[in-house]
Amino acid sequence: MATGFKWVTMVLIVLSVSQCADSLTRPSFIEFVDNGYSGITVAIHNRVSEDQALIDRIKYMFTEASKYLYQATQKRAYFRNVTILIPKTWASSPEYELPGGLTFDSADVIVAPPNPRWAPLQYTKQYEGCGRQGVHIHFMDAFLTDTNTETFYGPLGRILVHEWGHLRWGLFDEYPDAVGDPDYYQEYYFSQVTQQYEGVTCSYDYVGRPLIFLPESFSYRDCAGSPNIGYEDGCIFFVLSGQSDVTSSIMFRTSLDPIINFCNDTEERDKQHNPHAPNKHNRLCNSKSNWEVILDHDDFAGGSNPPRNISEEDLVPTFTVVQHKDIRVVLLLDTSGSMDSHNKFTKMTSSAYNYLSSIVLDGSFVGIIEFNSNANILQTLVEVNGTEARLGLTAALPPKAEGWTAIGQGLLKAIEVLSDHEDGTQGGIILLVSDGEETHRPFVADVMGDVIASGVIVDTLAFGQQASVLLPDISKATGGKTFFYSNEPGSNTLYEAFAATMERGDVIDSDKRVQLLGTSWSLEADETRTGGVFMDSTVGRKTEFSFSWTEKDNPSIEVTLQRPNGTIIDSSYDGFGEEPNFKTIIVKIEGQAEEGLWDYTVLSRHEQEVAIAVSSYPASDDVDPIIVTSELSGSITAFEQGEPLVAYAEVRQGFKPMINANVTATIERPGSFEPIRLELLDNGAGADITKNDGVYSRSFTEFTGIGYYGIRIDVNNNGGEAIILESNPYSKARPIVPLDKIYDLPEIGGIRIPLPGAPPAEPTGTPAPAFSRGTSGGSSRVDAVPPGFAPGADLFPPGDVLDLRVKETSFQDKTVALVWTAPGDDLDNGAASRYEVIRAESVPAWQSDPTPESHLILNSSHVLEGDPSAPQEFGSREELLVLVPVPKGASVVSYTFVLRAFDDAGNPSGFSNAAQAVLREYVPQPPTTKPPPATTPPPATRPPQPAGTTPHQPEGLSWQIALIVIGSVAAVLVLIVVGIAAFKFSKSKDKNVKQSYDGEVGKGDVRGTYNPTFA
Ligand SMILES: [Ca+2]
Ligand SMILES: [Ca+2]
């Protein structure tokens, strides 16, 4: 076991310097050469109305962003070229080029209907942790075209640079985020540097005002409390619009003009990173500054892309506008002799038959090539435009399998076939299905140059563990997908790999096939088995049940279906089609398939495997279907370097995330090992970096050796618990607005700009209907194992706890309650065996010496409730109540807690985030009595404040504003200023005084009229 420990330690070091070595399985075409980013794709969704002005806004945004980026990276980076993919629903133009392999789904920036979780704001979807590239940036179209955006959120160029920080370098937000980071949301923290309460900001010197939102009157008032003792619960740090002492951070605020830098570890105060502020960036990036994470990224690591002088003219990116035309696919099918074994040939041709007869969309072009010792064209590219074309294609499928394996030659032939189309090879799709290593020249290595130059996309399906190890490389190099079909009962990946080719064009949503189920059964002779699938209201059109068998050419299975109302469908049904040559039965449901549970029953006359797929189409053109997409951490997993395989699945209806769904991943493994089933979680712990965003994640660690690991994802509504998010009325990034404008915030795209600082709440939505989705999650290959590896060895430590926080403290009882999510024995799996909980004097003290022995390691005498020696299963909520010393005479006491977990093999996790506990003798409370109404108008300007006066006490709260909305419909605001007196500020907190009350707030203070009716 000691070897495992050493190995893990070594691996952690390796990982920390090569964080960006691998990426998600989704393709990315971004390149960074000579300081310029190229290959960035912006895709407009087909639901966005045609609008040339939108294209102009995108160009404007990138042009401005290029300058900001150049400035913010200190002359290291700019945008060189950008491709804008417009939907097929927009008019075509001779100026538009073909998009090659670019699709909406692979785009880096999407312009699309809003995701209510974040709308109207833009956001970046990030699956992975600090330093890792995200999925995409999502703007709603109105956000780009509405002039209110720049007024309230800042220049679009700067907003894009903020999002680029998330997308490219894996940075996180530095502002208090009630929506994106609710459990860790905190407005103020006690600074052990200044010994007083500070707003959560980056950099240090923001001018803010402690305000509290009053939902009942839709107004704000000043918080009770002071910088020295803190503020009442719910108090927000309201960043004021005039700021003169800060120039960072872009990840904190984009709306303020002086903000041009990322926070940095510099001594220069205006951009100095605050490593102590409890925000998501510090929590997930080990308190490293934005700038440190950026410089560690592959783009700049080791001094690459050093600062360079670039003229303003050269900073302007070039733009290419592209639009999809026809989908062109060549099936490249392995018919070598080995395909004749284990029913592989039969399964491949039945899947191809299914595909050609019903999945291929009308208007696409399809060709067929087989390869064995040579490659032969079985069908040149032909347009699919009806039954006859489909029959012609199925007739061209290969009749038998024999000979060797000439993959390279097959690829060249496929390119030849694609070159027949008027659009050329660029963007043509090759689906390469193969079960073995190549044997005949030219080899893949010899032809890859030609393949890449032709611009084709190669999706590969590895048919069994003996398939060529080159397949994932071919996919990766061409932007294709990698599938693995184990040829074992339980999955139907083969069928899905074919179907996936039709997702490659620009298919409008209502034409998108939704797979409800993909599985296979191993049946005994004369065995009857029944399964069920839920048809939900978002689908039901063009529903098909497909069943393929492996033995005998005459139908050796009988199939019946049962509708939700009990009616039986059998071979007498009009839509029931049998194709003995391809060993397939397809049942096409006429009209709209009814909502509810559909049963399917199969009787097998022989011992054989039966593959089952159920698919449907969106119920109508204006209903968004519930869809599931998935990603893996990489198409190749560097297990020998200690990398786990991480599965991510996203569940959504259109762009509305679904939370609380039941998402299961089934992982097939090399060797004779049972598949592993893992529940993917949207809990914001372990591999899941954001809670309740509809992205479900989990690490897989139970490797069994070298080979392919195939993943299947199954999703249901979790017994009615699942919720489709409809709206989130709370602000994520706050607009910066003068206080007197806060009540008439306008709409952007029909969504009101969220009120800054309204308290967080559970997201709202509608319950998801009963539904079924089952889909292949792709595959990942392991090419090497650690020295001395044997399945079952404990090589993975527990995952790092990154959500440690203080639930509550009691000054009187001298207690601190800590909460966190339990890691597993192996990252996100199982249970650790003990925790080591460390108490440090302060966050800076821990950060300057992160060695447990230099601080206090808690023992049982410190623990009142909870047991650090009995960790629970991964994902459980852990609580620990600990005793701390409270020195005599102190009124505010602060400590910092850090922990790590050990597994039973002694492997330690990394240290958790540092969580600060503050014990206060007195916690400010909101005023309980209403202040008397003002009888005289307030002075036009506030009197100058003397510095060095004593902090004001909560009961002596010197003034407050009450802002009341008159009339629930008109929301006309009347500002009431009550009891104005002199402000008093603490010595060291003069930044709160500076211009905060003689600037815009001052104007707001005196603008309103007093209306006694509402006093
Ligand atoms: Ca999540
Ligand atoms: Ca372990």
Side-chain angles (χ1 to χ4, degrees):
M1 286 304 171
T3 37
F5 179 87
K6 275 186 210 145
W7 174 78
V8 166
T9 314
M10 176 201 79
V11 155
L12 290 176
I13 294 162
V14 172
L15 282 182
S16 65
V17 294
S18 60
Q19 275 186 327
C20 311
D22 200 17
S23 58
L24 292 173
T25 34
R26 74 192 302 278
S28 168
F29 300 93
I30 299 173
E31 286 184 23
F32 188 51
V33 178
D34 290 341
N35 305 82
Y37 286 106
S38 57
I40 301 154
T41 314
V42 183
I44 302 171
H45 192 263
N46 55 48
R47 285 262 168 95
V48 173
S49 318
E50 183 158 2
D51 180 9
Q52 291 300 313
L54 181 59
I55 297 180
D56 293 340
R57 283 303 272 184
I58 292 167
K59 290 178 177 174
Y60 157 79
M61 174 169 71
F62 270 94
T63 305
E64 293 299 301
S66 190
K67 290 183 251 173
Y68 283 116
L69 186 64
Y70 183 64
Q71 186 175 31
T73 57
Q74 299 170 24
K75 300 186 177 183
R76 282 173 177 80
Y78 70 103
F79 293 118
R80 181 178 290 135
N81 74 55
V82 177
T83 302
I84 303 171
L85 173 59
I86 61 166
K88 247 167 120 175
T89 46
W90 290 23
S92 59
S93 154
E95 289 160 32
Y96 299 159
E97 296 179 22
L98 283 170
L102 306 178
T103 61
F104 181 87
D105 292 337
S106 69
D108 308 298
V109 179
I110 61 169
V111 180
N115 173 342
R117 182 88 162 77
W118 316 113
L121 283 172
Q122 83 295 344
Y123 68 96
T124 299
K125 192 175 283 170
Q126 290 172 279
Y127 285 177
E128 302 184 282
C130 188
R132 310 278 295 206
Q133 183 156 327
V135 174
H136 60 220
I137 300 167
H138 179 171
F139 289 102
M140 60 184 262
D141 50 328
F143 187 82
L144 296 180
T145 50
D146 196 315
T147 52
N148 281 320
T149 298
E150 293 208 318
T151 310
F152 289 92
Y153 290 104
L156 276 179
R158 201 188 295 144
I159 292 171
L160 181 62
V161 173
H162 173 102
E163 298 307 322
W164 187 256
H166 291 303
L167 181 75
R168 181 65 183 179
W169 304 312
L171 308 179
F172 292 91
D173 289 319
E174 292 180 313
Y175 51 82
D177 182 0
V179 180
D181 208 19
D183 290 344
Y184 213 72
Y185 165 67
Q186 186 170 343
E187 291 280 339
Y188 285 90
Y189 73 104
F190 182 76
S191 167
Q192 281 142 317
V193 177
T194 62
Q195 288 296 310
Q196 60 180 15
Y197 281 80
E198 305 279 354
V200 170
T201 61
C202 202
S203 53
Y204 276 104
D205 291 341
Y206 275 87
V207 181
R209 176 165 167 183
L211 289 181
I212 193 156
F213 179 69
L214 308 170
E216 64 281 5
S217 58
F218 205 71
S219 62
Y220 292 91
R221 64 167 166 76
D222 279 311
C223 303
S226 75
N228 289 44
I229 59 160
Y231 301 97
E232 65 185 291
D233 289 346
C235 186
I236 65 162
F237 183 78
F238 197 101
V239 174
L240 299 174
S241 47
Q243 303 280 339
S244 55
D245 292 346
V246 288
T247 63
S248 71
S249 172
I250 290 168
M251 300 312 286
F252 178 69
R253 277 292 185 282
T254 56
S255 45
L256 292 165
D257 280 338
I259 309 306
I260 51 169
N261 292 310
F262 290 102
C263 261
N264 197 332
D265 294 326
T266 172
E267 291 300 305
E268 297 163 60
R269 191 78 178 171
D270 64 312
K271 53 186 172 194
Q272 192 178 19
H273 173 62
N274 176 358
H276 312 130
N279 56 37
K280 191 167 184 175
H281 182 84
N282 279 336
R283 182 162 73 79
L284 294 182
C285 293
N286 195 20
S287 290
K288 279 191 201 169
S289 72
N290 290 168
W291 188 240
E292 204 179 336
V293 175
I294 292 170
L295 288 188
D296 279 352
H297 189 274
D298 280 357
D299 287 351
F300 306 108
S304 50
N305 292 290
R308 186 158 73 85
N309 285 322
I310 299 167
S311 71
E312 188 145 328
E313 200 178 317
D314 288 343
L315 290 179
V316 176
T318 57
F319 296 92
T320 313
V321 181
V322 300
Q323 190 179 31
H324 274 285
K325 286 192 181 170
D326 307 321
I327 300 179
R328 296 153 281 144
V329 181
V330 169
L331 304 182
L332 181 53
L333 307 177
D334 187 340
T335 54
S336 61
S338 57
M339 285 295 290
D340 209 21
S341 62
H342 304 99
N343 295 310
K344 284 188 276 193
F345 181 77
T346 301
K347 288 178 175 185
M348 179 175 72
T349 48
S350 349
S351 294
Y353 169 77
N354 259 294
Y355 171 73
L356 296 169
S357 54
S358 58
I359 296 171
V360 170
L361 293 164
D362 275 336
S364 331
F365 288 77
V366 179
I368 305 171
I369 295 172
E370 66 169 341
F371 65 94
N372 36 62
S373 305
N374 291 296
N376 309 308
I377 299 173
L378 300 175
Q379 172 66 60
T380 54
L381 216 52
V382 59
E383 183 174 3
V384 176
N385 52 12
T387 316
E388 204 166 316
R390 292 177 192 273
L391 283 174
L393 281 160
T394 55
L397 284 170
K400 61 176 190 305
E402 62 184 13
W404 298 89
T405 310
I407 300 178
Q409 203 185 121
L411 286 168
L412 292 181
K413 274 273 193 270
I415 292 169
E416 184 189 323
V417 165
L418 284 166
S419 67
D420 281 348
H421 190 274
E422 60 177 14
D423 295 338
T425 53
Q426 187 74 232
I429 301 150
I430 297 171
L431 173 63
L432 165 57
V433 179
S434 178
D435 75 331
E437 297 290 350
E438 57 182 344
T439 56
H440 281 50
R441 285 180 192 283
F443 291 134
V444 169
D446 305 326
V447 305
M448 272 317 280
D450 290 347
V451 171
I452 291 167
S454 72
V456 297
I457 306 151
V458 187
D459 286 348
T460 58
L461 179 110
F463 202 140
Q465 289 289 356
Q466 305 309 313
S468 169
V469 297
L470 299 172
L471 298 182
D473 297 335
I474 301 172
S475 298
K476 210 170 178 178
T478 59
K481 296 179 182 171
T482 308
F483 295 90
F484 166 68
Y485 177 53
S486 65
N487 203 17
E488 298 286 336
S491 94
N492 201 350
T493 316
L494 191 53
Y495 180 91
E496 291 170 46
F498 279 93
T501 60
M502 284 295 130
E503 291 159 19
R504 287 315 187 114
D506 179 17
V507 180
I508 59 165
D509 289 6
S510 53
D511 277 349
K512 278 191 177 143
R513 182 181 158 279
V514 180
Q515 175 152 323
L516 309 185
L517 176 83
T519 190
S520 66
W521 289 342
S522 181
L523 295 178
E524 303 293 326
D526 298 320
E527 183 180 349
T528 301
R529 199 181 291 180
T530 298
V533 62
F534 276 102
M535 197 70 56
D536 61 272
S537 59
T538 70
V539 292
R541 226 162 27 92
K542 291 176 22 189
T543 301
E544 288 188 8
F545 289 73
S546 140
F547 304 86
S548 299
W549 67 92
T550 52
E551 301 299 320
K552 310 287 180 198
D553 283 351
N554 53 341
S556 62
I557 58 169
E558 276 174 30
V559 169
T560 51
L561 307 184
Q562 184 177 346
R563 294 178 182 272
N565 66 7
T567 318
I568 301 291
I569 290 175
D570 59 20
S571 58
S572 65
Y573 183 69
D574 274 353
F576 195 101
E578 234 168 44
E579 182 43 78
N581 286 338
F582 294 102
K583 300 187 173 64
T584 293
I585 290 172
I586 299 177
V587 186
K588 300 187 177 189
I589 306 301
E590 294 159 340
Q592 185 88 12
E594 307 94 279
E595 281 178 60
L597 182 65
W598 287 66
D599 281 339
Y600 50 92
T601 300
V602 178
L603 159 65
S604 176
R605 295 193 211 291
H606 300 277
E607 180 185 341
Q608 62 182 342
E609 199 180 319
V610 176
I612 303 155
V614 183
S615 66
S616 188
Y617 283 77
S620 72
D621 288 356
D622 32 73
V623 172
D624 286 320
I626 294 167
I627 54 173
V628 177
T629 59
S630 64
E631 289 287 341
L632 298 175
S633 45
S635 53
I636 295 166
T637 299
F639 170 47
E640 81 284 7
Q641 289 176 32
E643 262 187 25
L645 171 59
V646 189
Y648 304 94
E650 209 178 322
V651 189
R652 54 193 168 92
Q653 181 185 17
F655 289 94
K656 297 172 187 170
M658 186 189 295
I659 62 170
N660 302 337
N662 176 264
V663 182
T664 312
T666 307
I667 298 117
E668 295 185 276
R669 310 179 286 173
S672 24
F673 294 91
E674 286 294 301
I676 293 270
R677 282 167 69 85
L678 282 179
E679 192 183 348
L680 307 190
L681 299 173
D682 186 11
N683 65 350
D688 192 67
I689 58 165
T690 303
K691 184 177 174 175
N692 285 345
D693 64 347
V695 178
Y696 300 73
S697 329
R698 192 81 176 254
S699 299
F700 162 81
T701 55
E702 295 184 60
F703 294 95
T704 51
I706 290 170
Y708 285 99
Y709 292 76
I711 320 288
R712 198 180 78 234
I713 307 283
D714 290 288
V715 184
N716 62 48
N717 78 339
N718 199 11
E721 294 287 304
I723 301 278
I724 297 164
L725 294 186
E726 294 291 348
S727 69
N728 202 320
Y730 299 99
S731 174
K732 182 176 154 63
R734 288 176 194 158
I736 294 214
V737 286
L739 267 176
D740 61 347
K741 297 246 168 61
I742 215 86
Y743 301 94
D744 33 349
L745 289 176
E747 291 183 348
I748 294 178
I751 301 171
R752 190 163 299 284
I753 292 176
L755 202 63
E762 287 299 310
T764 57
T766 53
F771 70 95
S772 304
R773 297 290 182 274
T775 176
S776 161
S779 74
S780 191
R781 235 196 105 77
V782 166
D783 287 326
V785 295
F789 167 77
D794 194 339
L795 296 176
F796 286 92
D800 299 352
V801 172
L802 293 177
D803 67 347
L804 177 64
R805 64 191 169 89
V806 173
K807 185 181 146 204
E808 56 191 12
T809 61
S810 167
F811 185 92
Q812 284 70 28
D813 299 342
K814 306 178 181 176
T815 55
V816 174
L818 297 168
V819 292
W820 67 94
T821 306
D825 178 316
D826 305 312
L827 302 178
D828 303 347
N829 301 282
S833 65
R834 69 181 176 92
Y835 294 112
E836 178 179 77
V837 185
I838 300 142
R839 191 184 84 206
E841 283 305 307
S842 67
V843 175
W846 169 253
Q847 284 170 349
S848 64
D849 183 10
T851 333
E853 291 71 25
S854 306
H855 307 274
L856 175 79
I857 299 172
L858 299 194
N859 60 41
S860 55
S861 73
H862 303 107
V863 176
L864 281 179
E865 286 171 26
D867 185 358
S869 66
Q872 303 178 71
E873 285 282 313
F874 167 74
S876 310
R877 181 186 161 98
E878 299 279 24
E879 290 203 31
L880 199 64
L881 187 67
V882 302
L883 272 171
V884 293
V886 173
K888 272 217 168 83
S891 59
V892 179
V893 186
S894 168
Y895 296 100
T896 287
F897 291 87
V898 174
L899 63 78
R900 61 177 169 171
F902 289 80
D903 65 15
D904 52 3
N907 301 315
S909 71
F911 293 110
S912 71
N913 60 303
Q916 189 192 25
V918 184
L919 294 82
R920 294 188 272 181
E921 187 173 17
Y922 171 78
V923 178
Q925 296 299 317
T928 48
T929 50
K930 282 189 176 174
T935 51
T936 51
T941 50
R942 206 161 292 289
Q945 303 308 313
T949 48
T950 52
H952 59 281
Q953 294 302 309
E955 54 274 27
L957 185 68
S958 46
W959 69 278
Q960 53 183 256
I961 51 170
L963 306 160
I964 297 175
V965 176
I966 296 176
S968 58
V969 178
V972 173
L973 177 76
V974 173
L975 208 83
I976 303 167
V977 179
V978 185
I980 303 239
F983 252 90
K984 294 170 182 172
F985 297 93
S986 69
K987 273 183 256 188
S988 51
K989 196 66 185 181
D990 70 338
K991 67 184 190 183
N992 262 356
V993 186
K994 209 166 16 183
Q995 69 159 264
S996 42
Y997 301 116
D998 50 12
E1000 277 148 319
V1001 177
K1003 282 182 241 157
D1005 289 344
V1006 297
R1007 196 187 61 149
T1009 44
Y1010 168 57
N1011 182 338
T1013 314
F1014 294 92

